[in-house]
């Protein structure tokens, strides 16, 4: 059962919007390797604001993701791509529907 989540907000530097979008698209491959990250979305919230929503069954899985390869890749490129470090919010999942079209 999915109980834990993260929402990460990313503000792209001017001129780096496409690079942030491309980085997030490529991040799917990294998160696909994480058995403890069953839910992961890369989002475009506005022309310069991006986000990631991911969800986990346990706090241990959430912490593993925060210390995993996707997080490390993002933190290595913060100064290049983002106006400021990512805003990371830990969330509790109250209810979830997962029905593929």
């Amino acid at each position: 059962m999915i109980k834990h989540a993260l929402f990460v907000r990313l503000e792209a530097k001017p001129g780096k919007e496409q690079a942030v979008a491309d980085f997030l698209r490529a991040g799917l491959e990294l998160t696909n390797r994480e058995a403890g990250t069953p839910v992961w979305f890369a989002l475009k919230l506005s022309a310069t604001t991006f986000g990631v929503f991911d969800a986990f069954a346990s706090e241990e899985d959430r912490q593993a993701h925060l210390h995993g390869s996707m997080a490390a890749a993002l933190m290595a490129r913060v100064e290049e791509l983002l106006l400021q470090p990512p805003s990371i919010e830990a969330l509790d999942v109250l209810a979830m529907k997962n029905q593929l079209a």
Side-chain angles (χ1 to χ4, degrees):
M1 175 179 276
I2 300 297
K3 296 181 180 182
H4 307 278
L6 292 169
F7 180 72
V8 180
R9 182 178 293 268
L10 310 165
E11 293 291 337
K13 283 185 174 180
K16 295 294 184 176
E17 298 87 357
Q18 188 61 51
V20 172
D22 292 344
F23 172 82
L24 290 174
R25 283 186 191 97
L28 179 60
E29 182 180 332
L30 294 174
T31 57
N32 277 339
R33 297 179 196 159
E34 296 179 1
T37 306
V39 177
W40 186 85
F41 291 92
L43 311 165
K44 183 173 182 180
L45 304 172
S46 74
T48 61
T49 306
F50 297 84
V52 173
F53 175 82
D54 35 24
F56 316 90
S58 71
E59 179 61 27
E60 293 77 19
D61 290 337
R62 177 164 54 187
Q63 290 303 315
H65 177 70
L66 283 169
H67 296 94
S69 57
M70 178 60 182
L74 175 60
M75 296 314 286
R77 298 191 66 192
V78 165
E79 293 210 13
E80 171 196 353
L81 299 176
L82 305 179
L83 284 174
Q84 60 201 19
S87 165
I88 302 171
E89 297 180 53
L91 311 169
D92 294 325
V93 176
L94 300 177
M96 177 180 160
K97 177 180 178 180
N98 182 13
Q99 180 179 344
L100 300 175

